[in-house]
Amino acid sequence: MYFGWNLGLEKGGTGGLAIATFFIIILYTTFTFSYAELAAAIPKAGGVFDYAHRALGKDLGFIAGMAQNIEFIFAPPAIALSIGAYFNLFFPQVPILAISIFTYLLFTALNIYGVKAAALFELVITLLAVGELLLFAGITLPHFELKNIEHNAFPHGWQGILAAIPFAIWFFLGIEGVANTAEEVVRPQRTLILGFGSAILTLVILCVLIFISAIGVGGWEAIVYKADGTSSDSPLPLALARITGNNHMLYHLLITIGLFGLIASFHGLILSAGRSTYEFGKVKFAPAYLGKIHASFKTPANALLVNMILGMFALLSGKTDEIITISVFGALTLYILSMISMLRLRKKEPGLNRPFLVPLYPFFPVTALVIACISIIAMVVYNLNLALFYILLMALSFGFFKLFKKQGTI
């Protein structure tokens, strides 16, 4: 909510991003309840990897798990860059990259220390961040003007709708990470369902609220471009500055608590990524040391450290929009394979204990599957070079997997 989605306005304008977001809300609503059925029936840390492995076999299980790893490894660097950008508003003399790297080190260490401490921290900063979003909406909505929403709503025509898809997905990206904590929660069936249900409801309400209030102040260009004409990773401060100026207490409050919002997203994705990579190592689909638990802290320390190193390499590109797009490619692959797995398991294992059943089956999983397929096709068309990079990354990973598995190295 605090950054990233505004870059979709540059691609599609207010109208293009709004229409894309409408369909993505349908995707995530139907996907979330379908995924909750899988998570409750197979409560394991690997998430989609475990579901696809069981439903579709070893090879497609690997591809699903690798897509999940790419999503969770590439999303945090994009958020780390935005944390650096927000912090840089307070301390311009501190380089954004230095702040981003320090953030990685600090929160990887917290996750290694323990899941209980990490989860408690996540809860506190999320409550602060949601409260700040509501405060932001309360300040900006009285200044809302319809003409700002209508202005230059489709700068690139209908094609802008398709080009804006990755940034509409960014509003909700990572919600499936709830499933990756399945082995560490009490009563996973009940807890996961409550987690998914409350998460999607919160995100949809905040998405609509922030979209309208941020753009309604001064039009979409005002929260995309900084004074020097470059794209911004901090849209909400840009919107609020038009009302309060950049020296007002409320402006500084937004930046301060806005950092908590970014940290909540960053920290939650690191937590999920560690469990996803750990499960890969545990079943020897990746080097076995990734599946080791720290002797003292009982957390997947090796997986967390490797993910941090990979994330730091992505940081060096400095291109938030491209990092987001690669992460979304992974997410959409995950959504497609998980919905196919769900449909397959209903036929393959009708007797599987399912504490939660998705409503309106098969409408929900099929709807999610169709929208996800259309979205990934549109992303390939409008991001061909990044799509080729993603395909190459997946192909190399699969090639190494088959080679080392054959040799018995992993």
Side-chain angles (χ1 to χ4, degrees), residues 10 71 91-92 122 142 146 182 219 246 278 301 312 335 365 372:
E10 193 173 24
E71 176 194 358
F91 302 102
E122 180 75 3
L146 185 60
N246 55 14
Y278 158 76
M312 285 185 177
Y335 303 157

Side-chain angles (χ1 to χ4, degrees), residues 73-372:
I73 290 171
F74 275 86
I79 302 173
L81 286 169
S82 187
I83 290 172
Y86 266 74
F87 197 91
N88 186 256
L89 294 173
F90 275 128
F91 302 102
Q93 68 274 19
V94 183
I96 290 174
L97 187 60
I99 299 166
S100 303
I101 290 173
F102 174 76
T103 302
Y104 247 113
L105 291 168
L106 177 63
F107 290 101
T108 298
L110 177 60
N111 272 274
I112 290 173
Y113 176 71
V115 69
K116 188 173 181 179
L120 180 61
F121 177 82
E122 180 75 3
L123 175 61
V124 171
I125 58 174
T126 299
L127 289 172
L128 287 170
V130 170
E132 177 61 18
L133 290 173
L134 296 174
L135 179 61
F136 170 82
I139 296 168
T140 52
L141 282 175
H143 300 269
F144 171 87
E145 294 186 44
L146 185 60
K147 66 179 183 181
N148 291 328
I149 297 288
E150 295 173 339
H151 170 69
N152 198 19
F154 293 95
H156 304 296
W158 67 267
Q159 294 182 353
I161 300 171
L162 301 176
I165 284 174
F167 306 97
I169 290 174
W170 187 251
F171 273 123
F172 306 93
L173 189 85
I175 190 173
E176 64 276 9
V178 171
N180 296 89
T181 61
E183 293 185 19
E184 297 169 281
V185 298
V186 179
R187 290 178 295 170
Q189 285 80 4
R190 178 180 179 274
T191 306
L192 292 174
I193 294 160
L194 288 173
F196 276 121
S198 59
I200 192 64
L201 178 63
T202 304
L203 289 178
V204 169
I205 292 171
L206 290 175
C207 167
V208 174
L209 200 59
I210 296 305
F211 186 94
I212 293 171
S213 60
I215 300 171
V217 171
W220 67 261
E221 291 98 333
I223 61 169
V224 172
Y225 302 112
K226 296 183 284 189
D228 61 4
T230 58
S231 297
S232 172
D233 280 340
S234 49
L236 303 194
L238 289 178
L240 195 61
R242 297 180 70 89
I243 299 170
T244 65
N246 55 14
N247 288 316
H248 195 279
M249 180 191 72
L250 288 173
Y251 176 81
H252 291 295
L253 181 66
L254 172 70
I255 296 174
T256 304
I257 301 184
L259 277 169
F260 285 121
L262 295 169
I263 289 167
S265 299
F266 179 75
H267 179 261
L269 283 164
I270 285 180
L271 190 152
S272 298
R275 276 69 191 163
S276 174
T277 307
Y278 158 76
E279 186 75 3
F280 242 41
K282 182 181 174 182
V283 299
K284 295 185 170 56
F285 273 38
Y289 68 86
L290 293 174
K292 301 294 184 183
I293 294 292
H294 192 281
S296 301
F297 302 127
K298 309 301 180 186
T299 54
N302 292 342
L304 288 163
L305 288 170
V306 168
N307 288 348
M308 179 188 73
I309 293 167
L310 293 172
M312 285 185 177
F313 276 113
L315 271 179
L316 298 177
S317 73
K319 296 181 178 179
T320 305
D321 57 342
E322 293 186 2
I323 297 172
I324 287 174
T325 301
I326 293 169
S327 178
V328 171
F329 270 120
L332 286 170
T333 306
L334 181 163
Y335 303 157
I336 289 167
L337 288 175
S338 62
M339 293 302 94
I340 293 173
S341 297
M342 183 195 170
L343 295 167
R344 173 65 177 150
L345 280 172
R346 279 288 189 108
K347 291 184 176 181
K348 183 181 177 182
E349 299 188 43
L352 177 66
N353 180 34
R354 294 175 172 86
F356 172 77
L357 292 173
V358 62
L360 301 179
Y361 179 87
F363 175 74
F364 267 38
V366 169
T367 299
L369 179 60
V370 169
I371 297 176

